[in-house]
DNA sequence: AAGTAAACGAGACGGTACGTCCTGTCTTCTT
DNA sequence: AAGAAGACAGGACGTACCGTCTCGTTTACTT
C-alpha cells in the first residue's frame, strides 16, 4: 500500500560496481528526510528507509552505524550553511538577526523533525549523542565568534562569560523547541539579544531608581 | 437482559468490579525507575516492565497509555517536591540556591535517566509531549514566583521579561543536560543568577572602566 | 479453625444463601448457542460468553469447568430427544429412517457448530472428551436397540457384530461431517441401511455368478 | 511504475535475495512433531514452536499460514508413504492387511497427536480444513484402488458403492480414534473387511439356518 | 425483623499467545 | 566489490483470552 508509494524507482539508478555509489547515498539521505517530513519519527525505520530509498539494508548498515547517523548526515548539509554570520554594525543587531534566522531555519518542515529526531536519539544512542555534540558545537562556535566580535567592540555585558551566553541563547531555543510550551520566535531573539548586550537605554533604566 | 437495566441507571452503581490495586501501581512505577537506572532507556520496554514489576501487560496498558506515561508518573512524585523555594534574602542568592539545587537534583542517578527519557519520548509521542509540558510548566511556575518576589523588591533586571529569564535558566539546564557538552553545574547556576539580577557591585564594575 | 468446625458439620444446614439463578443458566446456554451460530468457534470465548450472557465470568466458572462443558450442556437438551426410534416394519426401513433423521438433525445450523466444537474440543480437553463419549454413547445405544430388534427378526447380516455396524453408521456420519468431502445425506443413509441388512435381492445377485 | 514492469516480466530476475533455508524448515517441522508428542496440543503454540525450533516467529508466518499448516506438512511426509498397498491375492486379505497397517500406523505416538490436532483444527480453521480434506482424499484414493482391484475380480459386495465402503472403513477408524470409546484395532479391520466382501464361507453361513 | 451466606454483575489481576513489525546479520544473485 | 533483494533469529509491540481474585449488591433461608 504505502510501500508502493514510498518505493522509489531503483531500476533507473544503476549500481556502479566497485566504488561507493553516490546516487545510492543520496537516495538514502533524501528518503530519510522525506520519511521524517511525511510520517515523522515512527515512520523512520531502517526497513522503511531501505524500502523508500530502493536500497538494500546491507548498504545502509555498511555506510551508517545507526539510524541516527543517517539523520545526522542528512541534516548536516542542509542545516550547516543555512545561517551565515550577519553584520549589522552593532552586536545587538547582529545577535537579533542571527538568532531570528536560526529560529526561522529550525522551523522549516524539512529541518524541525530532523533536529527533533537527533535530539531524541542522542538520549539513547552514544553515536547520535556524539553527532549532536558535534553539530551543536559548530553552531555554538559561530555564535561565539559573533559575540567575541561584539565584545572586542565593548558591546557585551561584562559580568557573564561568553560560553554561558551562547548556552543561554541556544538553550532558550532548544528548550522551547523540544518542550513546545512557547515557540522560539523573533520576540525571543530580540529579548535574548537585549539580555546579552550592554544597551545604553537599559543601563539608564537601571540607574534611575 | 439485566445488563440493559444496569446500563440504563449507571449512576446508582459508582463502581462494580474489583478496584485498582495500589500495590500493582507502585510495583510498576518502582520497576520503571529501577530499569531506567540499571539498564537505561533501551532496557525499558513494556514487556520488560511487566516482567520486572510482576505485572500483566494488560495492567500496564489499562492504566497508562504509553511507556512515557509510566515514566512521567514515576518521575512526577519524585522530582516535584525535590526542590523547595529558598529564601536567602536576596534574589541573587535565592536564584543561585534554587538553580544549584535543581541542577544537583537532576544529576541524581534516579532522576537523570527519567528526565532524559521523558524529553526523548516527547519528541515522538504526543502524550509524552503533553506530560513533559505539564511537568516543565510546574517547574517554571516555581521559578517565576521566585523571580517575581525579587522583582517586587527591585532586584530584577528590568529590560527582560520574566518568562524569558525562566526559559533562559531552564534552557541552559536542559541544553547542557541533553547535549552534554558541558554539565549544568554550580558555576552555571551562579552565572545565570548574575545574568538575571541588577547587582550593585557588577553595575559599578560596568561603569568604572 | 472455626472454619474447620463449620465444615465438619455442614449437614445441619442444608442450604443457606441464595440458590442458583436459573435465568442466568439459561442466558449462558442461549448465548453459547447464539455465539456459535453467529460467529463460529473462534467467537466463543469465556470472555465473550460472559459478555453476551450478561453474566460474570465467575458465574461461568462456578457452574461449568470448561468452555466445552457449556457447549456440551447446551447441546444436550437440544440434540438428545431430537431423533426418536422409528418403526416402519422392516429393519431396512427403520435404519434408513433413523439415519436420515439423524443426518438431517445434525445439519441444522443450531446443531452443526455445536457438534463440531464438541468434537474438536474433545481432542484437547479430557472433560470435553468425556462429554463427547457420553453423548455419542447415548446415540449408539439407540441405534443398537434398533439393530437388535431387527436382528431378533432375522433381518441383520450375520457376519458382522452389531457394535461394528453401529460404529460404521455413525462413523460414516462423523467422518463426512468433520472432513467435509461429502455430505452425510439421505443417499448415504440408504446405502448404510443396505450394508447392514440381509436383503433377498442382493443375496440372489451374489449367488448368480 | 517500474514495479509493474518488473511484475510483467518476472522471468528476467529468477530470484534476488537469499533462498529459503531448508534446515530452518526441517527444524520447525521436527519441533512441531516433538512438541505434539511430548506436550500434546496445548503445548503447540506458534510462540513455543519458534522457541523450540530456534526460529523467528516471522519465519514461521512467512512459510506457513497457520499452526495447522505446520502440523499438516509435518504429518504429510511421515504418514503418507507409511501404508503401502498390500497384495495377498484376495480382496478380503488385502483389505484386512491394509486396514490393520493403517490402524497401527495411526496408533504411533508420533502420528496420533498429529491426526488429532489436524482434525480438531480443521473444525475452526478453513486452511486446516482444506489440508485435512486433501490428506484424507489421498488416503481414500489408495483404499479405493484396492477395492476396485477386488471388484474387477468379483470379490466385492455388489449392493453398495465403493465410495461408501471407503467412507465406512475410514469412518469407523476416525470415529473410534476421535471419540475413543473403542480402539480401531485389528479386530475392527477384520470385521470391516468382512463387511465389504462377498465371502463364500459367510454366504454359506447365511443360507444354512 | 435481623442476621447470614451464597450467588450474582462487574472487572482488575498475573499470565500467555497472538500476528505484525523492526533490528542487525547473513546469503544469493546481478551489475 | 558494491548493491538490491530478501531470508533469518530475536524480540517488542498492543490486543485478546485465560482462570483467579476481590468488590459491593441482591436474594433467600435461618433464627
Amino acid at each position: 500500500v504505502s510501500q508502493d508509494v514510498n518505493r522509489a524507482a531503483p531500476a533507473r539508478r544503476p549500481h556502479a560496481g566497485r566504488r561507493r555509489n553516490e546516487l545510492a547515498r543520496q537516495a538514502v539521505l533524501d528518503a530519510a528526510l522525506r520519511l521524517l517530513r511525511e510520517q515523522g519519527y515512527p515512520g523512520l525505520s531502517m526497513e522503511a528507509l531501505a524500502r523508500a530509498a530502493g536500497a538494500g539494508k546491507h548498504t545502509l548498515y555498511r555506510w551508517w552505524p545507526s539510524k541516527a547517523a543517517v539523520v545526522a548526515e542528512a541534516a548536516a548539509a542542509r542545516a550547516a550553511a543555512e545561517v551565515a554570520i550577519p553584520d549589522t554594525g552593532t552586536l545587538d543587531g547582529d545577535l537579533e538577526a542571527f538568532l531570528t534566522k536560526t529560529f526561522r531555519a529550525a522551523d522549516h518542515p524539512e529541518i524541525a523533525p530532523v533536529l527533533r529526531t537527533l535530539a531524541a536519539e542522542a538520549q539513547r544512542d552514544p553515536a547520535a549523542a556524539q553527532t549532536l555534540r558535534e553539530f551543536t558545537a559548530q553552531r555554538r562556535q559561530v555564535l561565539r565568534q559573533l559575540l567575541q566580535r561584539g565584545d572586542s567592540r565593548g558591546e557585551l555585558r561584562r559580568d557573564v562569560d561568553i560560553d554561558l551566553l551562547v548556552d543561554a541563547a541556544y538553550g532558550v531555543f532548544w528548550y522551547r523547541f523540544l518542550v513546545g510550551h512557547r515557540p522560539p520566535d523573533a520576540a525571543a531573539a530580540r529579548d535574548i539579544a537585549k539580555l546579552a548586550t550592554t544597551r545604553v537605554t537599559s543601563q539608564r533604566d537601571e540607574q534611575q531608581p
Side-chain angles (χ1 to χ4, degrees), chain A:
Chain A
V1 184
S2 62
Q3 274 191 337
D4 297 335
V5 175
N6 285 336
R7 185 166 284 281
R12 306 280 302 180
R13 168 163 51 71
H15 50 79
R18 307 207 159 200
R19 297 197 335 267
R20 181 172 186 181
N21 189 343
E22 179 58 25
L23 283 144
R25 180 176 160 274
Q26 266 308 321
V28 168
L29 297 179
D30 290 351
L33 291 179
R34 186 158 59 81
L35 283 174
L36 273 181
R37 180 171 9 102
E38 294 174 1
Q39 298 181 251
Y41 182 85
L44 187 75
S45 62
M46 287 299 243
E47 200 103 35
L49 191 48
R51 224 181 296 133
K57 286 172 66 177
H58 209 57
T59 304
L60 263 62
Y61 284 104
R62 191 185 340 253
W63 299 111
W64 293 278
S66 73
K67 180 165 29 176
V70 182
V71 172
E73 186 170 336
R78 212 150 300 217
E82 202 85 38
V83 180
I85 302 185
D87 193 350
T88 63
T90 68
L91 175 55
D92 189 61
D94 288 354
L95 251 184
E96 188 181 331
F98 179 80
L99 293 177
T100 303
K101 275 194 279 185
T102 296
F103 293 175
R104 193 164 44 229
D107 194 40
H108 192 279
E110 189 98 325
I111 303 292
V114 173
L115 294 180
R116 230 175 269 285
T117 299
L118 199 52
E121 208 69 359
Q123 305 313 310
R124 73 206 59 177
D125 178 356
Q130 178 60 21
T131 301
L132 178 63
R133 259 195 304 279
E134 286 169 9
F135 172 73
T136 56
Q138 285 180 0
R139 314 308 304 146
R140 283 196 301 279
Q141 177 58 20
V142 173
L143 182 52
R144 197 179 298 113
Q145 284 174 10
L146 197 152
L147 287 170
Q148 278 165 344
R149 195 176 59 188
D151 190 30
S152 67
R153 295 187 303 220
E155 296 177 274
L156 198 64
R157 286 186 61 184
R158 293 201 196 135
D159 53 344
V160 290
D161 76 296
I162 289 183
D163 282 338
L164 181 77
L165 275 181
V166 170
D167 282 2
Y170 275 119
V172 168
F173 163 69
W174 280 100
Y175 183 51
R176 294 194 177 183
F177 181 74
L178 296 177
V179 173
H181 59 294
R182 215 188 321 265
D185 54 10
R190 236 180 346 264
D191 281 355
I192 294 169
K194 258 195 294 187
L195 198 62
T197 54
T198 53
R199 305 198 318 144
V200 177
T201 49
S202 68
Q203 282 188 19
R204 187 180 52 209
D205 287 347
E206 287 174 8
Q207 290 161 14
Q208 274 178 348

